[in-house]
Amino acid sequence: MKAIVTGAAGFIGFATTKELLKQGFEVVGVDNLNNYYSVSLKKARLEEINNNSSFRFVLADIANKEQVERAIGNEKNVDVIVHLAAQAGVRYSIENPSAYVSANVEGEVRIFEQALKFESCPPVVYASSSSVYGANRKIPFSEEDRVDDPVSVYAATKRAGELLARSYAHVHNLKTTGLRFFTVYGPWGRPDMAPWLFTDAILAGRPIKLFNYGKMQRDFTFIDDIVRGVMSVVQKIINEPEKVADIYNLGNNQPVQLLEFVAAIEQATGKKALTELCPMPPADVEKTYADISRAERDLDFHPTVSIRQGMASFVQWFKHYQGK
């Protein structure tokens, strides 16, 4: 079996690639190694898998048609494309919206177009986000909810990606499934996200900012649980495509208040946090909460890692990585 993974040097892309290789897939990884966050971290992830003979890495920008064609245009017998490349970060989308349109909209179109060019016309499993729920008041968030009120450019581009997928399915009969990820964290996670930022600050004795005066809630989902969900979709979309829905929530189904999240880091580090209470940023939402009943039914998706277990694992990895 052969898979193409875009964003292979990214957090979820790297973890998914490792699991695909473990399960016997040949994997072609694509990434542009942009500098939105530490390139050295992305290269360190790749070093973990580059010695696997079933893995080939290609440096390419998915928004660039010529680069995509050179990178993967000649691949044969592709069974699935796992499209995880994206410009991430809600708050950065305020500063640089064009980067999000390029990567998350134009880049997705390039991948869909390339899928159509392959003789096998492989299905595409792609990354969406819980951010598409925007200002929705109904809790928990269900795939059946309306998602036409985004509060950030990032969320708008992710919703655009879902609509594009639906269009390609209708016009070209391209099989696609989008995964709305809910605050994914764990070892090898991104340095712009709260687990890294808070852990780094607490270990160094610096204060951390608690937005919405500490009343924010997030459906933190451990990376291993997310990868199990992704792999379940991959296997089903290859073997039983008629049994896979077009959208799934992948979340922990247990929102955690920011103060509880900080307490988990304090327990894992053995250090007390210095906190600064701040108002809500304009592009953020107060709470995310995934209804995962569809994923439970179709994918046998059952998250198992608690926030205290997950943050203990992250802190252990973080100390080791920083020590190196």
Side-chain angles (χ1 to χ4, degrees):
M1 303 286 277
K2 180 187 287 187
I4 292 173
V5 178
T6 70
F11 176 33
I12 302 176
F14 158 69
T16 300
T17 297
K18 282 182 67 176
E19 186 61 27
L20 284 164
L21 292 168
K22 182 179 176 181
Q23 295 195 19
F25 279 78
E26 178 185 351
V27 180
V28 179
V30 181
D31 204 295
N32 67 349
L33 299 180
N34 72 23
N35 63 358
Y36 167 64
Y37 66 82
S38 170
V39 175
S40 63
L41 174 60
K42 297 177 183 182
K43 290 182 177 179
R45 291 175 184 142
L46 289 174
E47 287 174 5
E48 294 284 307
I49 49 180
N50 265 334
N51 60 356
N52 191 309
S53 61
S54 296
F55 177 69
R56 181 172 73 88
F57 176 72
V58 186
L59 183 68
D61 181 353
I62 59 162
N64 185 298
K65 179 181 178 181
E66 290 73 25
Q67 289 187 31
V68 169
E69 289 178 344
R70 285 199 301 268
I72 59 175
N74 294 322
E75 292 296 331
K76 306 295 183 186
N77 304 316
V78 178
D79 295 287
V80 65
I81 298 175
V82 186
H83 175 45
L84 302 175
Q87 177 58 59
V90 170
R91 293 168 197 156
Y92 182 59
S93 69
I94 298 174
E95 303 172 31
N96 189 5
S98 61
Y100 291 77
V101 174
S102 176
N104 301 354
V105 180
E106 294 177 20
E108 187 160 297
V109 169
R110 298 294 174 218
I111 295 303
F112 288 163
E113 286 292 320
Q114 188 58 55
L116 296 176
K117 293 177 182 178
F118 289 129
E119 184 177 347
S120 58
C121 191
V124 181
V125 178
Y126 68 93
S128 186
S129 167
S130 62
S131 295
V132 301
Y133 290 107
N136 280 19
R137 295 295 181 185
K138 175 181 165 292
I139 296 295
F141 300 150
S142 166
E143 297 93 341
E144 302 297 330
D145 296 342
R146 290 181 64 89
V147 282
D148 53 6
D149 194 12
V151 298
S152 68
V153 171
Y154 170 71
T157 60
K158 281 300 187 179
R159 180 55 179 156
E162 293 180 350
L163 295 174
L164 285 165
R166 185 169 295 180
S167 298
Y168 272 82
H170 177 74
V171 175
H172 301 288
N173 201 31
L174 178 65
K175 183 63 180 176
T176 64
T177 292
L179 305 178
R180 291 175 177 167
F181 296 129
F182 282 70
T183 316
V184 187
Y185 76 102
W188 295 100
R190 292 188 355 233
D192 63 319
M193 294 186 69
W196 183 300
L197 293 171
F198 285 14
T199 298
D200 188 41
I202 290 171
L203 287 172
R206 299 192 308 272
I208 57 176
K209 293 183 178 181
L210 302 184
F211 291 110
N212 198 30
Y213 307 102
K215 297 177 183 177
M216 305 273 273
Q217 293 184 54
R218 289 291 180 268
D219 202 343
F220 288 100
T221 316
F222 193 65
I223 184 63
D224 292 4
D225 287 328
I226 286 291
V227 169
R228 280 191 286 271
V230 174
M231 290 304 303
S232 181
V233 175
V234 166
Q235 295 289 359
K236 282 217 166 191
I237 207 168
I238 292 174
N239 298 310
E240 300 176 289
E242 72 284 353
K243 295 184 179 180
V244 184
D246 63 338
I247 292 286
Y248 288 104
N249 286 337
L250 293 186
N252 200 43
N253 191 232
Q254 292 185 14
V256 173
Q257 192 163 46
L258 202 50
L259 293 174
E260 182 184 347
F261 170 64
V262 172
I265 305 176
E266 290 176 329
Q267 183 182 58
T269 59
K271 296 192 68 174
K272 188 70 176 174
L274 304 173
T275 60
E276 178 184 344
L277 300 180
C278 303
M280 172 90 82
D284 271 6
V285 296
E286 183 175 344
K287 183 176 184 177
T288 63
Y289 182 2
D291 177 346
I292 59 171
S293 55
R294 180 184 291 183
E296 288 176 327
R297 180 196 68 205
D298 294 355
L299 310 175
D300 195 27
F301 178 67
H302 301 284
T304 61
V305 182
S306 72
I307 191 66
R308 290 186 181 266
Q309 292 171 321
M311 283 311 301
S313 178
F314 173 80
V315 169
Q316 182 181 31
W317 169 83
F318 183 83
K319 288 180 175 179
H320 175 71
Y321 179 76
Q322 294 293 77
K324 289 174 67 178

